[in-house]
Amino acid sequence: MKVKQVVADLKADKELRKKPIKDLAAIYGDLHPKTFASLFRVITGESPTSFIEGLDAE
């Protein structure tokens, strides 16, 4: 999974932010949602949900 790509795409695409985590996990590596969330947290320091909420608040 390319977390940097996920982060860039989430920053650029407001519609992508509306997708559930399970869909993001499938799009970016066909991973189990918990695995996706764990990897995302290790790389970014935040859960995908928190990261998206932060983007939406900007």
Short mmCIF file of all heavy atoms in Angstrom, two decimals:
data_model
loop_
_atom_site.label_atom_id
_atom_site.label_comp_id
_atom_site.label_asym_id
_atom_site.label_seq_id
_atom_site.Cartn_x
_atom_site.Cartn_y
_atom_site.Cartn_z
N MET A 1 0.85 -1.18 0.00
CA MET A 1 0.00 0.00 0.00
C MET A 1 0.89 1.24 0.00
O MET A 1 1.88 1.30 0.73
CB MET A 1 -0.90 0.01 1.24
CG MET A 1 -1.82 1.20 1.27
SD MET A 1 -2.91 1.26 2.69
CE MET A 1 -1.83 1.90 3.93
N LYS A 2 0.53 2.20 -0.78
CA LYS A 2 1.29 3.44 -0.87
C LYS A 2 0.56 4.53 -0.09
O LYS A 2 -0.32 5.21 -0.62
CB LYS A 2 1.47 3.82 -2.32
CG LYS A 2 2.23 2.78 -3.11
CD LYS A 2 2.33 3.16 -4.56
CE LYS A 2 3.05 2.06 -5.31
NZ LYS A 2 3.08 2.32 -6.73
N VAL A 3 0.90 4.67 1.17
CA VAL A 3 0.21 5.62 2.04
C VAL A 3 0.37 7.04 1.52
O VAL A 3 -0.58 7.83 1.57
CB VAL A 3 0.69 5.49 3.50
CG1 VAL A 3 0.07 6.57 4.36
CG2 VAL A 3 0.34 4.12 4.04
N LYS A 4 1.55 7.37 1.00
CA LYS A 4 1.75 8.73 0.47
C LYS A 4 0.75 9.03 -0.65
O LYS A 4 0.26 10.14 -0.76
CB LYS A 4 3.18 8.91 -0.02
CG LYS A 4 4.19 8.95 1.10
CD LYS A 4 5.59 9.17 0.59
CE LYS A 4 6.58 9.17 1.73
NZ LYS A 4 7.94 9.36 1.27
N GLN A 5 0.45 8.03 -1.47
CA GLN A 5 -0.52 8.21 -2.55
C GLN A 5 -1.92 8.40 -1.99
O GLN A 5 -2.68 9.23 -2.45
CB GLN A 5 -0.49 7.03 -3.52
CG GLN A 5 -1.36 7.23 -4.73
CD GLN A 5 -0.92 8.41 -5.57
OE1 GLN A 5 0.24 8.48 -5.94
NE2 GLN A 5 -1.81 9.33 -5.87
N VAL A 6 -2.26 7.62 -0.97
CA VAL A 6 -3.57 7.75 -0.33
C VAL A 6 -3.72 9.16 0.23
O VAL A 6 -4.74 9.83 0.02
CB VAL A 6 -3.76 6.71 0.80
CG1 VAL A 6 -5.10 6.90 1.49
CG2 VAL A 6 -3.62 5.30 0.28
N VAL A 7 -2.70 9.62 0.93
CA VAL A 7 -2.73 10.96 1.54
C VAL A 7 -2.90 12.03 0.47
O VAL A 7 -3.75 12.92 0.59
CB VAL A 7 -1.45 11.20 2.38
CG1 VAL A 7 -1.32 12.67 2.78
CG2 VAL A 7 -1.45 10.30 3.61
N ALA A 8 -2.13 11.94 -0.60
CA ALA A 8 -2.22 12.93 -1.69
C ALA A 8 -3.61 12.91 -2.32
O ALA A 8 -4.19 13.97 -2.59
CB ALA A 8 -1.15 12.65 -2.74
N ASP A 9 -4.14 11.71 -2.55
CA ASP A 9 -5.46 11.60 -3.18
C ASP A 9 -6.55 12.14 -2.27
O ASP A 9 -7.48 12.81 -2.73
CB ASP A 9 -5.75 10.16 -3.58
CG ASP A 9 -4.86 9.67 -4.72
OD1 ASP A 9 -4.16 10.49 -5.34
OD2 ASP A 9 -4.89 8.45 -4.98
N LEU A 10 -6.45 11.87 -0.98
CA LEU A 10 -7.45 12.38 -0.04
C LEU A 10 -7.41 13.91 0.04
O LEU A 10 -8.45 14.55 0.15
CB LEU A 10 -7.24 11.78 1.35
CG LEU A 10 -7.64 10.31 1.51
CD1 LEU A 10 -7.16 9.79 2.85
CD2 LEU A 10 -9.14 10.13 1.38
N LYS A 11 -6.21 14.46 -0.03
CA LYS A 11 -6.09 15.92 0.01
C LYS A 11 -6.70 16.56 -1.23
O LYS A 11 -7.30 17.63 -1.16
CB LYS A 11 -4.62 16.34 0.13
CG LYS A 11 -4.04 16.10 1.50
CD LYS A 11 -2.58 16.52 1.56
CE LYS A 11 -2.02 16.33 2.95
NZ LYS A 11 -0.60 16.72 3.04
N ALA A 12 -6.58 15.88 -2.37
CA ALA A 12 -7.02 16.45 -3.64
C ALA A 12 -8.48 16.17 -3.98
O ALA A 12 -9.10 16.93 -4.71
CB ALA A 12 -6.14 15.91 -4.77
N ASP A 13 -9.05 15.10 -3.45
CA ASP A 13 -10.36 14.64 -3.90
C ASP A 13 -11.35 14.57 -2.74
O ASP A 13 -11.35 13.63 -1.95
CB ASP A 13 -10.21 13.25 -4.54
CG ASP A 13 -11.48 12.73 -5.18
OD1 ASP A 13 -12.56 13.34 -4.99
OD2 ASP A 13 -11.40 11.70 -5.86
N LYS A 14 -12.23 15.57 -2.67
CA LYS A 14 -13.22 15.61 -1.59
C LYS A 14 -14.21 14.45 -1.68
O LYS A 14 -14.71 13.99 -0.66
CB LYS A 14 -13.95 16.94 -1.60
CG LYS A 14 -13.08 18.09 -1.19
CD LYS A 14 -13.82 19.39 -1.11
CE LYS A 14 -12.88 20.50 -0.68
NZ LYS A 14 -13.55 21.75 -0.41
N GLU A 15 -14.49 13.97 -2.87
CA GLU A 15 -15.41 12.85 -3.03
C GLU A 15 -14.80 11.56 -2.46
O GLU A 15 -15.51 10.74 -1.89
CB GLU A 15 -15.80 12.66 -4.50
CG GLU A 15 -16.71 13.75 -5.03
CD GLU A 15 -18.02 13.87 -4.27
OE1 GLU A 15 -18.68 12.84 -4.05
OE2 GLU A 15 -18.37 14.99 -3.88
N LEU A 16 -13.50 11.39 -2.62
CA LEU A 16 -12.83 10.21 -2.10
C LEU A 16 -12.94 10.16 -0.57
O LEU A 16 -13.06 9.09 0.01
CB LEU A 16 -11.36 10.22 -2.52
CG LEU A 16 -10.54 8.98 -2.19
CD1 LEU A 16 -11.08 7.75 -2.92
CD2 LEU A 16 -9.08 9.20 -2.57
N ARG A 17 -12.93 11.32 0.06
CA ARG A 17 -13.04 11.40 1.53
C ARG A 17 -14.37 10.85 2.04
O ARG A 17 -14.47 10.49 3.20
CB ARG A 17 -12.90 12.84 1.99
CG ARG A 17 -11.58 13.47 1.66
CD ARG A 17 -11.57 14.90 2.11
NE ARG A 17 -10.55 15.66 1.40
CZ ARG A 17 -10.45 16.96 1.44
NH1 ARG A 17 -11.29 17.67 2.17
NH2 ARG A 17 -9.51 17.57 0.76
N LYS A 18 -15.37 10.81 1.19
CA LYS A 18 -16.70 10.35 1.60
C LYS A 18 -16.81 8.82 1.61
O LYS A 18 -17.75 8.27 2.15
CB LYS A 18 -17.77 10.92 0.68
CG LYS A 18 -17.86 12.43 0.75
CD LYS A 18 -18.88 12.96 -0.24
CE LYS A 18 -18.91 14.48 -0.24
NZ LYS A 18 -19.84 15.00 -1.25
N LYS A 19 -15.84 8.15 1.01
CA LYS A 19 -15.89 6.69 0.92
C LYS A 19 -15.58 6.07 2.29
O LYS A 19 -14.75 6.58 3.03
CB LYS A 19 -14.89 6.18 -0.10
CG LYS A 19 -15.23 6.56 -1.53
CD LYS A 19 -14.38 5.79 -2.50
CE LYS A 19 -14.73 6.13 -3.92
NZ LYS A 19 -16.05 5.69 -4.32
N PRO A 20 -16.23 4.97 2.60
CA PRO A 20 -15.91 4.28 3.86
C PRO A 20 -14.49 3.70 3.81
O PRO A 20 -13.94 3.46 2.73
CB PRO A 20 -16.95 3.17 3.95
CG PRO A 20 -17.64 3.11 2.65
CD PRO A 20 -17.30 4.34 1.87
N ILE A 21 -13.94 3.46 4.98
CA ILE A 21 -12.58 2.93 5.09
C ILE A 21 -12.45 1.61 4.33
O ILE A 21 -11.44 1.35 3.68
CB ILE A 21 -12.17 2.75 6.57
CG1 ILE A 21 -12.20 4.10 7.29
CG2 ILE A 21 -10.78 2.12 6.68
CD1 ILE A 21 -11.38 5.20 6.68
N LYS A 22 -13.48 0.78 4.37
CA LYS A 22 -13.40 -0.51 3.67
C LYS A 22 -13.21 -0.31 2.17
O LYS A 22 -12.50 -1.07 1.52
CB LYS A 22 -14.61 -1.40 3.96
CG LYS A 22 -15.92 -0.90 3.41
CD LYS A 22 -17.05 -1.86 3.77
CE LYS A 22 -18.36 -1.40 3.22
NZ LYS A 22 -18.52 -1.66 1.81
N ASP A 23 -13.82 0.73 1.62
CA ASP A 23 -13.64 1.01 0.19
C ASP A 23 -12.23 1.53 -0.10
O ASP A 23 -11.61 1.15 -1.09
CB ASP A 23 -14.68 2.01 -0.30
CG ASP A 23 -16.08 1.43 -0.37
OD1 ASP A 23 -16.24 0.21 -0.14
OD2 ASP A 23 -17.02 2.19 -0.65
N LEU A 24 -11.73 2.40 0.76
CA LEU A 24 -10.37 2.90 0.59
C LEU A 24 -9.37 1.75 0.68
O LEU A 24 -8.42 1.68 -0.09
CB LEU A 24 -10.03 3.96 1.65
CG LEU A 24 -10.79 5.28 1.56
CD1 LEU A 24 -10.42 6.17 2.74
CD2 LEU A 24 -10.52 5.98 0.25
N ALA A 25 -9.61 0.83 1.61
CA ALA A 25 -8.73 -0.33 1.77
C ALA A 25 -8.71 -1.17 0.50
O ALA A 25 -7.66 -1.67 0.09
CB ALA A 25 -9.17 -1.16 2.97
N ALA A 26 -9.86 -1.32 -0.13
CA ALA A 26 -9.94 -2.10 -1.37
C ALA A 26 -9.26 -1.38 -2.53
O ALA A 26 -8.54 -2.00 -3.33
CB ALA A 26 -11.39 -2.40 -1.70
N ILE A 27 -9.45 -0.08 -2.62
CA ILE A 27 -8.87 0.70 -3.71
C ILE A 27 -7.34 0.73 -3.63
O ILE A 27 -6.65 0.60 -4.63
CB ILE A 27 -9.42 2.15 -3.69
CG1 ILE A 27 -10.90 2.16 -4.02
CG2 ILE A 27 -8.64 3.05 -4.65
CD1 ILE A 27 -11.59 3.49 -3.73
N TYR A 28 -6.83 0.88 -2.43
CA TYR A 28 -5.38 1.08 -2.24
C TYR A 28 -4.68 -0.16 -1.69
O TYR A 28 -3.92 -0.08 -0.75
CB TYR A 28 -5.12 2.28 -1.33
CG TYR A 28 -5.50 3.57 -1.96
CD1 TYR A 28 -6.74 4.15 -1.71
CD2 TYR A 28 -4.65 4.21 -2.85
CE1 TYR A 28 -7.10 5.34 -2.31
CE2 TYR A 28 -5.00 5.40 -3.45
CZ TYR A 28 -6.23 5.96 -3.18
OH TYR A 28 -6.59 7.14 -3.77
N GLY A 29 -4.92 -1.30 -2.28
CA GLY A 29 -4.12 -2.46 -1.91
C GLY A 29 -4.91 -3.70 -1.59
O GLY A 29 -4.33 -4.70 -1.21
N ASP A 30 -6.23 -3.64 -1.71
CA ASP A 30 -7.06 -4.80 -1.45
C ASP A 30 -6.75 -5.40 -0.08
O ASP A 30 -6.54 -6.61 0.07
CB ASP A 30 -6.89 -5.85 -2.56
CG ASP A 30 -8.04 -6.84 -2.59
OD1 ASP A 30 -9.16 -6.47 -2.16
OD2 ASP A 30 -7.84 -7.97 -3.03
N LEU A 31 -6.71 -4.54 0.93
CA LEU A 31 -6.39 -4.95 2.29
C LEU A 31 -7.64 -5.04 3.14
O LEU A 31 -8.66 -4.43 2.84
CB LEU A 31 -5.45 -3.93 2.94
CG LEU A 31 -4.13 -3.68 2.25
CD1 LEU A 31 -3.44 -2.48 2.86
CD2 LEU A 31 -3.24 -4.90 2.37
N HIS A 32 -7.53 -5.76 4.25
CA HIS A 32 -8.60 -5.75 5.24
C HIS A 32 -8.64 -4.33 5.82
O HIS A 32 -7.59 -3.72 6.04
CB HIS A 32 -8.29 -6.77 6.33
CG HIS A 32 -9.40 -6.96 7.31
ND1 HIS A 32 -9.62 -6.09 8.34
CD2 HIS A 32 -10.36 -7.90 7.38
CE1 HIS A 32 -10.67 -6.49 9.03
NE2 HIS A 32 -11.15 -7.59 8.46
N PRO A 33 -9.83 -3.79 6.10
CA PRO A 33 -9.92 -2.41 6.61
C PRO A 33 -9.07 -2.17 7.86
O PRO A 33 -8.48 -1.10 8.01
CB PRO A 33 -11.40 -2.23 6.90
CG PRO A 33 -12.07 -3.16 5.93
CD PRO A 33 -11.15 -4.35 5.82
N LYS A 34 -8.99 -3.14 8.77
CA LYS A 34 -8.18 -2.94 9.98
C LYS A 34 -6.70 -2.87 9.64
O LYS A 34 -5.97 -2.09 10.24
CB LYS A 34 -8.45 -4.06 10.99
CG LYS A 34 -9.80 -3.93 11.67
CD LYS A 34 -9.97 -4.95 12.76
CE LYS A 34 -11.32 -4.74 13.43
NZ LYS A 34 -11.51 -5.65 14.56
N THR A 35 -6.27 -3.67 8.69
CA THR A 35 -4.87 -3.63 8.25
C THR A 35 -4.57 -2.29 7.60
O THR A 35 -3.54 -1.66 7.88
CB THR A 35 -4.58 -4.78 7.26
OG1 THR A 35 -4.92 -6.02 7.88
CG2 THR A 35 -3.13 -4.78 6.83
N PHE A 36 -5.46 -1.84 6.74
CA PHE A 36 -5.31 -0.53 6.09
C PHE A 36 -5.19 0.57 7.14
O PHE A 36 -4.28 1.39 7.09
CB PHE A 36 -6.52 -0.28 5.18
CG PHE A 36 -6.56 1.11 4.59
CD1 PHE A 36 -5.85 1.40 3.44
CD2 PHE A 36 -7.30 2.11 5.19
CE1 PHE A 36 -5.88 2.68 2.90
CE2 PHE A 36 -7.34 3.38 4.66
CZ PHE A 36 -6.63 3.67 3.51
N ALA A 37 -6.10 0.57 8.11
CA ALA A 37 -6.10 1.61 9.14
C ALA A 37 -4.83 1.56 9.97
O ALA A 37 -4.26 2.61 10.30
CB ALA A 37 -7.34 1.46 10.02
N SER A 38 -4.36 0.36 10.29
CA SER A 38 -3.13 0.23 11.08
C SER A 38 -1.92 0.76 10.32
O SER A 38 -1.11 1.50 10.88
CB SER A 38 -2.89 -1.23 11.44
OG SER A 38 -3.89 -1.69 12.31
N LEU A 39 -1.80 0.40 9.06
CA LEU A 39 -0.68 0.89 8.24
C LEU A 39 -0.75 2.41 8.08
O LEU A 39 0.26 3.10 8.16
CB LEU A 39 -0.68 0.21 6.88
CG LEU A 39 -0.32 -1.26 6.85
CD1 LEU A 39 -0.57 -1.85 5.47
CD2 LEU A 39 1.12 -1.46 7.26
N PHE A 40 -1.94 2.91 7.85
CA PHE A 40 -2.14 4.35 7.69
C PHE A 40 -1.69 5.08 8.97
O PHE A 40 -0.98 6.08 8.91
CB PHE A 40 -3.61 4.64 7.39
CG PHE A 40 -3.88 6.04 6.92
CD1 PHE A 40 -3.93 6.32 5.57
CD2 PHE A 40 -4.08 7.07 7.82
CE1 PHE A 40 -4.17 7.62 5.13
CE2 PHE A 40 -4.32 8.37 7.39
CZ PHE A 40 -4.37 8.64 6.04
N ARG A 41 -2.08 4.54 10.12
CA ARG A 41 -1.73 5.16 11.41
C ARG A 41 -0.22 5.13 11.65
O ARG A 41 0.36 6.10 12.13
CB ARG A 41 -2.45 4.47 12.55
CG ARG A 41 -2.20 5.12 13.90
CD ARG A 41 -2.85 4.36 15.04
NE ARG A 41 -4.28 4.29 14.94
CZ ARG A 41 -5.12 5.20 15.45
NH1 ARG A 41 -4.64 6.26 16.06
NH2 ARG A 41 -6.41 5.05 15.32
N VAL A 42 0.44 4.04 11.30
CA VAL A 42 1.89 3.92 11.49
C VAL A 42 2.61 4.98 10.66
O VAL A 42 3.55 5.62 11.14
CB VAL A 42 2.38 2.50 11.11
CG1 VAL A 42 3.89 2.46 10.98
CG2 VAL A 42 1.90 1.49 12.13
N ILE A 43 2.17 5.19 9.44
CA ILE A 43 2.85 6.14 8.54
C ILE A 43 2.50 7.59 8.85
O ILE A 43 3.39 8.45 8.86
CB ILE A 43 2.50 5.83 7.06
CG1 ILE A 43 2.89 4.40 6.69
CG2 ILE A 43 3.14 6.84 6.12
CD1 ILE A 43 4.34 4.07 6.79
N THR A 44 1.23 7.88 9.11
CA THR A 44 0.80 9.28 9.28
C THR A 44 0.68 9.72 10.73
O THR A 44 0.63 10.92 11.00
CB THR A 44 -0.57 9.51 8.60
OG1 THR A 44 -1.56 8.77 9.31
CG2 THR A 44 -0.55 9.15 7.14
N GLY A 45 0.57 8.76 11.65
CA GLY A 45 0.37 9.12 13.06
C GLY A 45 -1.09 9.36 13.40
O GLY A 45 -1.40 9.71 14.54
N GLU A 46 -1.98 9.17 12.44
CA GLU A 46 -3.41 9.38 12.65
C GLU A 46 -4.19 8.24 12.01
O GLU A 46 -3.73 7.63 11.05
CB GLU A 46 -3.90 10.66 11.96
CG GLU A 46 -3.36 11.94 12.47
CD GLU A 46 -4.00 13.11 11.74
OE1 GLU A 46 -5.08 13.53 12.15
OE2 GLU A 46 -3.40 13.58 10.76
N SER A 47 -5.39 8.03 12.51
CA SER A 47 -6.27 7.08 11.84
C SER A 47 -6.77 7.71 10.55
O SER A 47 -6.78 8.95 10.43
CB SER A 47 -7.46 6.73 12.74
OG SER A 47 -8.34 7.84 12.85
N PRO A 48 -7.20 6.91 9.59
CA PRO A 48 -7.75 7.49 8.36
C PRO A 48 -8.92 8.44 8.65
O PRO A 48 -9.03 9.51 8.05
CB PRO A 48 -8.20 6.28 7.55
CG PRO A 48 -7.40 5.15 8.06
CD PRO A 48 -7.15 5.45 9.50
N THR A 49 -9.78 8.05 9.58
CA THR A 49 -10.95 8.87 9.91
C THR A 49 -10.52 10.22 10.47
O THR A 49 -11.04 11.26 10.04
CB THR A 49 -11.84 8.13 10.92
OG1 THR A 49 -12.23 6.86 10.36
CG2 THR A 49 -13.09 8.94 11.25
N SER A 50 -9.58 10.23 11.40
CA SER A 50 -9.09 11.50 11.96
C SER A 50 -8.43 12.36 10.90
O SER A 50 -8.60 13.58 10.88
CB SER A 50 -8.09 11.23 13.10
OG SER A 50 -8.73 10.60 14.17
N PHE A 51 -7.66 11.73 10.04
CA PHE A 51 -6.99 12.47 8.97
C PHE A 51 -8.01 13.13 8.05
O PHE A 51 -7.89 14.32 7.74
CB PHE A 51 -6.10 11.50 8.17
CG PHE A 51 -5.32 12.17 7.08
CD1 PHE A 51 -4.15 12.85 7.38
CD2 PHE A 51 -5.76 12.15 5.78
CE1 PHE A 51 -3.43 13.48 6.38
CE2 PHE A 51 -5.05 12.78 4.77
CZ PHE A 51 -3.87 13.45 5.08
N ILE A 52 -9.03 12.39 7.67
CA ILE A 52 -10.07 12.93 6.78
C ILE A 52 -10.85 14.04 7.48
O ILE A 52 -11.13 15.09 6.88
CB ILE A 52 -11.00 11.81 6.28
CG1 ILE A 52 -10.23 10.89 5.34
CG2 ILE A 52 -12.26 12.38 5.61
CD1 ILE A 52 -10.94 9.59 5.01
N GLU A 53 -11.17 13.86 8.75
CA GLU A 53 -11.86 14.91 9.51
C GLU A 53 -11.04 16.18 9.55
O GLU A 53 -11.56 17.28 9.44
CB GLU A 53 -12.20 14.42 10.91
CG GLU A 53 -13.32 13.41 10.94
CD GLU A 53 -13.51 12.76 12.31
OE1 GLU A 53 -12.70 13.00 13.24
OE2 GLU A 53 -14.48 11.99 12.43
N GLY A 54 -9.73 16.04 9.71
CA GLY A 54 -8.83 17.20 9.71
C GLY A 54 -8.83 17.92 8.38
O GLY A 54 -8.82 19.15 8.31
N LEU A 55 -8.85 17.17 7.28
CA LEU A 55 -8.90 17.77 5.95
C LEU A 55 -10.21 18.52 5.75
O LEU A 55 -10.23 19.61 5.19
CB LEU A 55 -8.74 16.71 4.87
CG LEU A 55 -7.37 16.06 4.74
CD1 LEU A 55 -7.43 14.94 3.70
CD2 LEU A 55 -6.32 17.07 4.35
N ASP A 56 -11.30 17.90 6.18
CA ASP A 56 -12.61 18.52 6.00
C ASP A 56 -12.77 19.79 6.83
O ASP A 56 -13.52 20.68 6.46
CB ASP A 56 -13.73 17.52 6.34
CG ASP A 56 -13.88 16.43 5.28
OD1 ASP A 56 -13.44 16.66 4.13
OD2 ASP A 56 -14.44 15.38 5.60
N ALA A 57 -12.03 19.88 7.93
CA ALA A 57 -12.11 21.05 8.81
C ALA A 57 -11.34 22.25 8.23
O ALA A 57 -11.54 23.38 8.67
CB ALA A 57 -11.58 20.70 10.20
N GLU A 58 -10.44 21.98 7.29
CA GLU A 58 -9.62 23.07 6.72
C GLU A 58 -10.45 24.00 5.87
O GLU A 58 -11.37 23.67 5.23
CB GLU A 58 -8.48 22.50 5.89
CG GLU A 58 -7.43 21.83 6.73
CD GLU A 58 -6.29 21.24 5.90
OE1 GLU A 58 -6.31 21.33 4.65
OE2 GLU A 58 -5.39 20.67 6.50
#
